[in-house]
Amino acid sequence: MISKYVNKIPGGNMVVPLIIGALINSFFPEVLDIGGFTTGLARGSDALLGAFLVCIGASLNLKGAASSLKIGGVITITKFIVGIALGLIISMLFGDNFLGISSLAMIGASTNANGGLFSALAGTYGNEKEVGALPLVSLTDGPFFTMIAIGAAGIASIPIAGLISVVIPIAIGMILGALDKNIKKSLTNISPILIPFFSFALGTGIDLRTLFEAGLSGVLLGLIVTFVIGFFTILTDKLTGGTGVAGAATSSTAGNAVGTPAAIASADPSMVNIANVATPQIAASVITTAICTPILTNYIAKRNEKENEKSKTIET
């Protein structure tokens, strides 16, 4: 009965647990911090995601690694360029205020992606090559690229350690899968089971009350990141031979992007007031994209299925 209705929701396998986690964290956070195994499960998104990446790594092979790097590179560069372009348009054409959204908020929300969400969506709707694009997608974590975009390069350092931490579990999975076919099969079968668990844990890091603090401008920011920037990432993904699923799955705002305005303000004190407004807007974008990105990815996956069925019918 439960799975029947969950499966009717786009990306329900991860969206429903994520929303449940966000609701509990927003209104009953003390339940999640009771300690022991309950807190370990609720707050252990990194551990659960790490296990998921080991399983995904087992399904990869060296031949597919090059394709994964190409997919990750294309969608990451596209997202970065389009995010900067929109920020510059807001700054130059709209006096740094487009319906309440500043260039800082736009660039801060759009030049990164939620790695956990990307993994879940690519693992649900995509193939192993698309999931393998995660290390490059993870390069955008933190304020570094955003600071480059607004001319503050050199203040932060490239998160090399963060990138390596993503690669290690994937590499372990690849090695295990290459050495033993039974391990490869077991880990590949386990990966879908982990998605609801780390999706719930990701949700416990979201506070839905932020939506009300940011107002409609924050929600609008999230919609732009998913559907406007997502349009371009899907387009370039498909133009370079991809399915569009990875492009759709990257149309989100990373949770740690909330700290980007503060990092920018520390580098340039003149932006403190703008940063104070941008922070809740970016937080609202994190929540909005966490809901909308799975819907967009599900749509692209379903459309691909219909196109494949149509082409098979024509061939026969």
Side-chain angles (χ1 to χ4, degrees):
M1 288 293 292
I2 295 175
S3 60
K4 176 182 177 181
Y5 291 104
V6 167
N7 290 333
K8 289 183 179 181
I9 300 172
N13 194 35
M14 71 149 300
V15 172
V16 172
L18 185 143
I19 292 177
I20 291 174
L23 286 170
I24 296 175
N25 184 61
S26 300
F27 303 106
F28 308 102
E30 63 278 0
V31 174
L32 302 174
D33 296 320
I34 195 172
F37 299 123
T38 299
T39 299
L41 182 63
R43 305 297 191 187
S45 60
D46 288 345
L48 291 166
L49 185 53
F52 177 75
L53 292 179
V54 171
C55 294
I56 289 300
S59 67
L60 296 173
N61 55 63
L62 293 176
K63 189 179 293 184
S67 297
S68 294
L69 290 174
K70 183 187 76 172
I71 293 170
V74 167
I75 59 179
T76 299
I77 292 172
T78 300
K79 199 167 191 290
F80 181 60
I81 292 175
V82 176
I84 293 174
L86 290 179
L88 291 175
I89 289 173
I90 290 174
S91 177
M92 296 178 179
L93 300 183
F94 295 94
D96 209 26
N97 188 330
F98 175 70
L99 300 178
I101 300 173
S102 66
S103 57
L104 173 60
M106 176 57 68
I107 295 174
S110 60
T111 53
N112 58 76
N114 187 324
L117 193 62
F118 177 87
S119 296
L121 292 173
T124 301
Y125 298 108
N127 52 49
E128 65 275 7
K129 294 177 183 177
E130 288 166 324
V131 178
L134 177 62
L136 280 180
V137 173
S138 297
L139 268 176
T140 59
D141 283 353
F144 179 75
F145 286 105
T146 303
M147 295 179 83
I148 290 178
I150 65 168
I155 304 300
S157 57
I158 299 177
I160 297 296
L163 175 61
I164 294 175
S165 72
V166 173
V167 173
I168 288 175
I170 294 177
I172 291 173
M174 289 181 67
I175 293 170
L176 290 174
L179 293 176
D180 192 312
K181 291 183 178 179
N182 289 327
I183 291 178
K184 180 184 182 76
K185 183 179 179 181
S186 297
L187 291 177
T188 301
N189 291 336
I190 289 171
S191 59
I193 300 173
L194 291 172
I195 291 175
F197 289 97
F198 74 71
S199 295
F200 173 78
L202 287 172
T204 62
I206 294 174
D207 190 338
L208 294 174
R209 290 171 295 185
T210 306
L211 285 173
F212 299 101
E213 294 177 14
L216 293 177
S217 60
V219 176
L220 175 62
L221 177 61
L223 294 175
I224 292 173
V225 171
T226 294
F227 296 107
V228 177
I229 296 180
F231 168 81
F232 290 100
T233 52
I234 292 167
L235 179 64
T236 55
D237 185 14
K238 287 201 164 191
L239 287 175
T240 54
T243 65
V245 168
T250 196
S251 62
S252 63
T253 300
N256 61 16
V258 176
T260 296
I264 302 299
S266 67
D268 184 357
S270 68
M271 299 191 72
V272 170
N273 291 334
I274 297 175
N276 289 337
V277 176
T279 297
Q281 290 179 341
I282 293 176
S285 181
V286 173
I287 299 169
T288 304
T289 58
I291 297 170
C292 294
T293 299
I295 295 174
L296 177 63
T297 309
N298 175 76
Y299 169 75
I300 295 298
K302 295 296 183 185
R303 192 174 70 174
N304 288 343
E305 289 179 8
K306 290 181 181 179
E307 289 177 353
N308 291 334
E309 291 176 1
K310 186 177 179 179
S311 61
K312 288 180 182 178
T313 303
I314 294 174
E315 289 176 1
T316 55

